[in-house]
Amino acid sequence: MTNTQPSTDCSAEEWALRVDLAAAFRLAVHFDWHESIANHFSAAVSDDGKTFLLNPKWKHFSTIKASELLCLHADDEEAMSRPDAPDPSAWCIHGAIHAAVPHARVLLHCHPPHATALSGLTDPSIKPIDQNTARFHNRLAIDLNFGGIADDAEEGKRIASTLGNHSIMMMGNHGVSVMGETVAEAFEHLYYLERAAKTMILAYSTGQPLNIMDDELAEKTALGWEQYSDSAFAHFEQLKEILDRSDSSYRE
Ligand SMILES: [Zn+2]
């Protein structure tokens, strides 16, 4: 299916980004990672990351369309006083992270059930016990400084510094944030993070000790995943096809 761009003043490149980001919201519903009308996905439009797309406040993920995504600027002091003002926590945190982390072109934040359960454990790390869990070996930032529901740019800066050069963050007592150069890449991180967290929760639930790979095998497995980085795009295209079969209105 082609992206039929309506007569808007955005570039073809921005429209394609809008369609992919809208698809990510619909797919989060498909995989049951959504929660009420909360949580936020964003994508940088400008080179400095300060202009970015974000979901409108209090819209269910299942209804989001490409044309409805907000386009915001992190330094716009009027953004919060307009009728279409975004959720304040999303505006502060996503704006600060896009500006501070050059590789965070796309930022997906949500509370998927298994990853969130893992985030509530004393040790929310993912141990290399199978292929999917080993994907995250030494590639996961862990933030254990949850300070309540945040709505200031300082929280965004703190999260950005904890992230370092990682793209995936387990947020203790909270949920997850994943980043990527593209929506497909960030979505793939989120997909495998929730899969790996599910495996961890199931393995812990047996009460038996985990058979954790040694560092060398875990690193070899993680490097093996990096050879398949193109599969993120193929997977995302397939997922959009699945969406199109039932409801392609995210493309509008
Ligand atoms: Zn959250």
Side-chain angles (χ1 to χ4, degrees), residues 148-164:
I149 295 173
D151 63 354
D152 59 67
E154 285 310 307
E155 179 69 358
K157 286 180 193 157
R158 188 185 66 72
I159 291 170
S161 70
T162 307
L163 189 69

Side-chain angles (χ1 to χ4, degrees), residues 68-236:
E68 294 172 345
L69 294 169
L70 303 175
C71 187
L72 304 166
H73 193 280
D75 296 335
D76 178 5
E77 288 172 4
E78 304 297 311
M80 294 311 301
S81 49
R82 279 194 281 270
D84 65 346
D87 184 323
S89 64
W91 183 56
C92 295
I93 293 175
H94 286 240
I97 293 176
H98 284 303
V101 184
H103 65 270
R105 298 298 295 171
V106 173
L107 170 56
L108 312 179
H109 168 68
C110 60
H111 309 159
H114 298 91
T116 304
L118 194 60
S119 87
L121 304 184
T122 313
D123 176 6
S125 65
I126 292 181
K127 313 292 185 197
I129 58 170
D130 80 325
Q131 273 188 192
N132 289 354
T133 47
R135 177 184 169 102
F136 300 99
H137 180 66
N138 285 340
R139 287 157 178 79
L140 192 68
I142 297 181
D143 175 28
L144 294 175
N145 295 301
F146 178 63
I149 295 173
D151 63 354
D152 59 67
E154 285 310 307
E155 179 69 358
K157 286 180 193 157
R158 188 185 66 72
I159 291 170
S161 70
T162 307
L163 189 69
N165 56 12
H166 291 301
S167 297
I168 304 148
M169 175 178 277
M170 185 65 85
M171 306 169 82
N173 301 116
H174 184 174
V176 298
S177 285
V178 299
M179 278 132 251
E181 290 281 343
T182 61
V183 177
E185 188 190 335
F187 194 87
E188 194 78 339
H189 288 324
L190 186 55
Y191 174 86
Y192 277 109
L193 185 60
E194 175 62 0
R195 297 281 300 192
K198 185 175 183 179
T199 300
M200 288 297 298
I201 297 293
L202 287 172
Y204 278 137
S205 72
T206 66
Q208 294 192 51
L210 303 181
N211 185 9
I212 299 172
M213 296 178 197
D214 62 38
D215 264 9
E216 192 183 344
L217 178 58
E219 180 60 27
K220 183 181 169 191
T221 309
L223 286 172
W225 274 106
E226 289 172 6
Q227 307 300 312
Y228 282 92
S229 57
D230 287 352
S231 69
F233 300 95
H235 185 202
F236 198 68

